[in-house]
Amino acid sequence: MSLFEAIRNAAAVVLVCTGSFFFLVGTLGLIRFPDFYSRTHGATKCDTVGAGSILLGLALLRGLHADVLKILAIISLVLLTSPTAGHALARAAYRTGLRPWTRLVGGGGGDAD
Amino acid sequence: MKRALVIALLAAVAMPLLLAAARMPRFGSVEQPAYTHVARRYLERGAEEAGAENIVTGVILNYRGFDTNGEVTVIFTACAAVAAVLACSGEGRRPVRAGTPVALSPVVRYVVRLLAPFIALFAFYVVVFGEVSPGGGFQGGTVFGALIIVTTVVVGRDEAERLSPERPRLWLQAAGPLSFLAVGTVGALLTGWYLGFPHVPRAIAASMLMALEFGIGVGGAMVLAGIFWRLGDEA
Amino acid sequence: MPIEMGRLFDLGLMTLLVLCALAVVRTKDLLAASIIFSAYSLVMCLVWDHRGAPDVAMTEAAVGAGVTTVLFLSAISKTVRKER
């Protein structure tokens, strides 16, 4: 294995591990955060940073190949759609009158259940 | 008395069915006809006989064409049933024009407008390349139907309905069964059986398959959109 | 005998499927149930793809996780949200 390849593999491993870490943290946030807005925030981070860096790592592993173009297309799609979905969710919640959680209000922050 | 009659009738129907089931090869047994010769024939000669590189497409549209014809008819019937039920529940069926209670964000609108052509292109690709790669009429049609639904939600129904004009809508929704009828008749003229596919000039069978794929795709998309619009109508 | 990675993945997906199915049946809130059902479809889509049926996986992703959920939601918005 040449030095270049070793560096490439190491970078790919680092990227995939970073992505997995973000997924783990995002999922923890989805479970542990107190209200709708912060949960949406956690879930959206998962999708953009987590999936983005995992896919980038996979593209690095693939090397010069047509598949890399497909992976790049998937990354741009995810980067475009996931924040939009998060934005739409948060906006719909805000416009229908869901109050964000604060330490003072506490509880479920006016959650429906 | 009536109860006893019902039980006797049920038993009379159930007995032959159970006997027939008992005579069938055991579930998963290697002696089933599907495993002994049908699957091998499909895998060995499917690519040349069925007119499609993708064996799944060949099996669905050519070997098991009657099955798919029935399925497509069922899908169209589902749409018709939804229309019938929802049209019965209220006297007028005026579409709601008031819009959603929450005004839609310009960000969502922009992103959907940006992505819509790509989604449409992908749907078209899935339909056209169903012959050589995974995909086909059902899959592409569903993707296109989902696009119409997203457009309806985000940009509004008026604009989305331009994708499926009012007048030919019923014909478009029936495109699946109609394309099977047309291709089946062409097959009958060419080979003598309904839905028969000629082997020799491969281009003919391939173009018949393509016509079926497009019929299924257009029909499926319009049926999905039709059901969604019906549900949105004011009852 | 070491268990192969693919088998392990399959087993995990199947467990998730059963859990999702139970959750759908047990949930009284129809909105939550339809969202869980869409998660079920997503897992099912992975199972199809893992079993070598990408055609079916595509349909499952588009119909099961996408369109069916939308249709369920619009049906719920015409009726009531809680199961009685």
Side-chain angles (χ1 to χ4, degrees), chain A:
Chain A
M1 194 195 289
S2 70
L3 184 66
F4 172 70
E5 233 171 284
I7 293 174
R8 195 182 75 182
N9 283 350
V13 167
V14 167
L15 275 173
V16 170
C17 286
T18 317
S20 311
F21 172 76
F22 268 93
F23 259 110
L24 182 70
V25 172
T27 314
L28 273 181
L30 191 66
I31 299 170
R32 293 289 301 160
F33 273 148
D35 79 331
F36 176 80
Y37 295 101
S38 42
R39 280 187 219 137
T40 313
H41 156 87
T44 313
K45 294 297 159 295
C46 251
D47 275 0
T48 45
V49 189
S53 57
I54 286 181
L55 285 168
L56 219 58
L58 293 183
L60 265 187
L61 272 186
R62 200 81 179 99
L64 273 181
H65 194 275
D67 286 352
V68 174
L69 286 178
K70 294 184 192 171
I71 294 179
L72 288 181
I74 296 174
I75 291 179
S76 49
L77 190 76
V78 167
L79 284 186
L80 210 58
T81 52
S82 166
T84 313
H87 162 79
L89 278 175
R91 185 182 157 103
Y94 185 73
R95 286 296 177 92
T96 46
L98 186 68
R99 302 283 284 280
W101 177 89
T102 59
R103 254 177 224 294
L104 294 175
V105 177
D111 227 6
D113 47 31

Side-chain angles (χ1 to χ4, degrees), chain B residues 30 33-46 55 63:
Chain B
V30 283
Y35 298 133
T36 49
H37 53 274
V38 178
R40 183 165 301 163
R41 170 72 174 258
Y42 287 172
L43 290 178
E44 281 171 358
R45 314 229 352 234
I55 294 169
Y63 290 123

